[in-house]
């Protein structure tokens, strides 16, 4: 491998881990697989990460955190709270074969056995919920939405999206992204309409 800085080497490990995990799943990704993907030894991976759990957590955080950052940009660019909520729904709903959402499914499945992965998925899930809650609270503040409990409303909307998204990712073509968007918008209108 070319001479890389420690940060570049760490990122190369994360990138290789994502490449392998997207092919065979987080739970089936091993240090040996990552080393093979990079054309290096397992020792290099262990030099930068204490465990495979930490490697998987860092890779998952990189992919899922990128989607969260994109959602924040989309929400910030939207005008009023209704447009912000729609921007959130648009940014969250997956396309068929969404690679990051497949990683979410894997992370949820592996979280009970991998504490570092559980910590990252939990934190990111809370950040998504907080993002939705803040949009709802702004909407309540302007009179665009009604919600006695924005915290709970945000969890319900996120759960609708998560459930529909799992159908799109796990059962290709059973429902479409357009279905997810339409049904989530309907659920949001029922949840928040004044």
């Amino acid at each position: 491998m070319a001479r890389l800085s420690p940060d570049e080497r760490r990122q190369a490990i994360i990138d290789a881990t994502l490449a392998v995990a997207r092919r065979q799943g987080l739970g089936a990704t091993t240090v040996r697989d990552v080393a093979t993907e990079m054309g290096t030894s397992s020792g290099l991976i262990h030099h930068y990460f204490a465990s495979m759990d930490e490697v998987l957590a860092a890779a998952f955080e990189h992919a899922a955190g990128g989607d969260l950052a994109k959602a924040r940009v989309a929400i910030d660019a939207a005008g009023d709270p209704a447009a912000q909520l729609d921007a959130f729904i648009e940014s969250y709903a997956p396309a068929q074969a969404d690679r990051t959402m497949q990683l979410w499914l894997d992370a949820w499945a592996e979280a009970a056995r991998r504490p570092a992965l559980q910590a990252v998925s939990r934190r990111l899930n809370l950040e998504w919920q907080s993002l939705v809650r803040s949009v709802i609270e702004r909407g309540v503040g302007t009179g665009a939405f009604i919600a006695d409990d924005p915290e709970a409303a945000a969890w319900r909307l996120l759960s609708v999206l998560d459930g529909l998204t799992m159908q799109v990712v796990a059962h290709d073509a059973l429902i479409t992204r357009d279905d997810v968007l339409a049904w989530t918008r309907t659920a949001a209108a029922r949840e928040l309409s004044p």
Side-chain angles (χ1 to χ4, degrees):
M1 287 185 86
R3 186 94 169 126
L4 301 173
S5 72
D7 287 343
E8 291 169 330
R9 180 78 66 197
R10 187 175 169 83
Q11 187 59 51
I13 294 168
I14 289 169
D15 292 343
T17 302
L18 284 171
V20 173
R22 285 181 169 134
R23 284 194 307 270
Q24 60 194 43
L26 284 171
T29 299
T30 66
V31 170
R32 182 174 296 175
D33 295 329
V34 175
T36 300
E37 181 78 16
M38 294 178 69
T40 190
S41 71
S42 298
L44 178 75
I45 286 80
H46 288 298
H47 178 75
Y48 286 90
F49 294 92
S51 68
M52 191 59 199
D53 188 22
E54 288 183 17
V55 177
L56 294 174
F60 173 69
E61 182 166 19
H62 180 73
D67 282 355
L68 181 60
K70 289 176 192 170
R72 285 186 174 124
V73 168
I75 288 168
D76 288 345
D80 59 69
Q84 291 175 336
L85 185 61
D86 200 60
F88 161 73
I89 292 168
E90 268 296 326
S91 70
Y92 200 89
Q96 246 65 17
D98 182 295
R99 293 165 28 134
T100 302
M101 189 40 112
Q102 181 61 59
L103 290 175
W104 268 104
L105 295 177
D106 290 351
W108 288 333
E110 290 294 315
R113 292 178 293 280
R114 298 183 181 269
L117 188 58
Q118 181 184 63
V120 169
S121 67
R122 180 183 178 92
R123 181 179 46 76
L124 288 171
N125 208 34
L126 288 169
E127 287 183 42
W128 277 106
Q129 188 275 345
S130 176
L131 184 62
V132 179
R133 186 194 71 238
S134 67
V135 170
I136 292 170
E137 288 171 345
R138 281 192 293 279
V140 169
T142 66
F145 303 146
I146 291 179
D148 294 336
D149 186 352
E151 179 90 10
W155 279 119
R156 286 189 292 271
L157 288 178
L158 198 57
S159 295
V160 166
L161 266 169
D162 284 341
L164 291 172
T165 294
M166 284 195 296
Q167 294 298 324
V168 170
V169 174
H171 304 118
D172 188 34
L174 186 62
I175 64 173
T176 66
R177 182 177 194 275
D178 288 341
D179 294 330
V180 173
L181 292 170
W183 298 342
T184 304
R185 287 175 177 137
T186 298
R190 289 180 180 154
E191 180 80 42
L192 302 170
S193 287

